[in-house]
Amino acid sequence: MRKKLVAGNWKMNGSKAMVESLLKTLLAGAGDSDSVEVAVFPPFPYLQRTQKLLRGSSIAWGGQTLNPASSGAFTGEVSAAMLLDFGCRYVLVGHSERRTLYGEKDADVATRFEAAQLAGLEPILCVGETLDERERGETESVVRRQIDAVLERCGIDSLSSAILAYEPVWAIGTGKTATPDQAQQVHAFIRDKIRAQDDTIGGQIRILYGGSVNGSNAADLFTREDVDGGLIGGASLKAGEFLAIRNAASRG
Ligand code: PGA
């Protein structure tokens, strides 16, 4: 039985006041549950406050990216050890905005994934195709290539302490979510691919769906066999909406 995960990627949004009120509302609304786990991914400056507010609660938190180096002359960057210093359990790697806006290639993503795991963070590896790639029928080959880059560097066993997120680029922030069938199809492809290398790891790994998930469409997505929760952008900034998604996951 895979425990669902509802993860809120705040991206570059928020303020001290917003962090305070959003997290307090989540704490009040997201009680312990055997069937769903909640995590938030605030911008770096708010990790300290997040740790203070969430420590000891059932809500986990993580970084939105990391630099693979352990320290040094990398202006503006943040290391895995720094994220751990602020109690992070998770870190996103290879989010499509990192790939497209900041030029992270598959090999860069694999390096970050490896650095996160070596330091003791659990990476959430984001994969997904663009609209052009989908229309050309390349969805599976793109997702396969993105996952293989990590497998080549880190091996199949690395997926026993990692999470995958399928996020079609055309669905991120566009209001155009994948249909539950479209999501399930790609999730099943990913799980089968991993199962072919290791049946146990393939059966256990959580595969989240991301891309315009909201309180209204979450329930249908989460009832699909291979959808183990969601990576939520815009809707994670509104406590009511995010809690509705969390509640959909606890039923799904
Ligand atoms: P969205 O973003 O929910 O705003 O589409 C998802 C993501 O980028 O993780």
Side-chain angles (χ1 to χ4, degrees):
M1 183 61 191
R2 297 181 297 265
K3 188 170 185 172
K4 287 206 166 48
L5 172 62
V6 173
N9 172 14
W10 296 0
K11 309 192 181 182
M12 197 175 74
N13 293 294
S15 63
K16 266 157 77 175
M18 173 273 205
V19 171
E20 196 83 14
S21 84
L22 178 54
L23 291 181
K24 284 184 174 159
T25 314
L26 295 185
L27 279 170
D32 277 353
S33 159
D34 290 338
S35 58
V36 58
E37 182 192 345
V38 173
V40 292
F41 294 78
F44 295 140
Y46 303 124
L47 282 174
Q48 183 168 24
R49 191 68 194 138
T50 299
Q51 180 182 32
K52 198 151 190 207
L53 285 165
L54 298 186
R55 198 188 336 235
S57 79
S58 64
I59 304 177
W61 60 97
Q64 297 176 11
T65 182
L66 79 163
N67 186 285
S70 54
S71 64
F74 303 100
T75 301
E77 295 293 281
V78 164
S79 71
M82 293 171 187
L83 295 177
L84 284 164
D85 242 357
F86 290 98
C88 289
R89 168 159 183 202
Y90 297 113
V91 62
L92 305 180
V93 294
H95 188 280
S96 79
E97 285 147 22
R98 300 295 316 173
R99 293 178 190 262
T100 56
L101 302 175
Y102 302 102
E104 287 183 20
K105 305 272 177 262
D106 290 337
D108 303 317
V109 174
T111 313
R112 284 166 166 74
F113 182 101
E114 182 181 47
Q117 277 195 332
L118 286 174
L121 290 164
E122 195 167 339
I124 300 183
L125 171 64
C126 305
V127 298
E129 82 289 2
T130 63
L131 186 57
D132 278 356
E133 289 164 339
R134 172 163 282 263
E135 285 172 349
R136 288 200 300 267
E138 293 171 4
T139 299
E140 292 185 356
S141 62
V142 168
V143 166
R144 183 188 304 118
R145 192 200 70 222
Q146 291 171 332
I147 295 173
D148 280 346
V150 168
L151 291 179
E152 275 156 29
R153 185 169 184 104
C154 306
I156 185 73
D157 287 348
S158 69
L159 292 189
S160 61
S161 51
I163 292 170
L164 287 173
Y166 169 58
E167 299 204 296
V169 179
W170 48 271
I172 295 178
T174 59
K176 259 193 281 174
T177 189
T179 64
D181 282 349
Q182 284 174 323
Q184 168 58 25
Q185 207 173 15
V186 181
H187 284 229
F189 166 77
I190 292 172
R191 193 176 306 286
D192 287 349
K193 171 183 164 44
I194 297 167
R195 271 214 160 109
Q197 290 193 46
D198 189 303
D199 195 46
T200 308
I201 294 175
Q204 283 173 352
I205 193 164
R206 292 187 283 183
I207 308 174
L208 314 182
Y209 168 78
S212 297
V213 178
N214 58 40
S216 318
N217 60 27
D220 277 350
L221 285 158
F222 295 161
T223 53
R224 295 310 164 108
E225 190 183 339
D226 292 299
V227 179
D228 305 313
L231 182 53
I232 320 299
S236 72
L237 299 169
K238 299 173 214 140
E241 194 81 9
F242 191 59
L243 286 172
I245 297 168
R246 178 252 179 225
N247 292 339
S250 75
R251 291 189 302 267

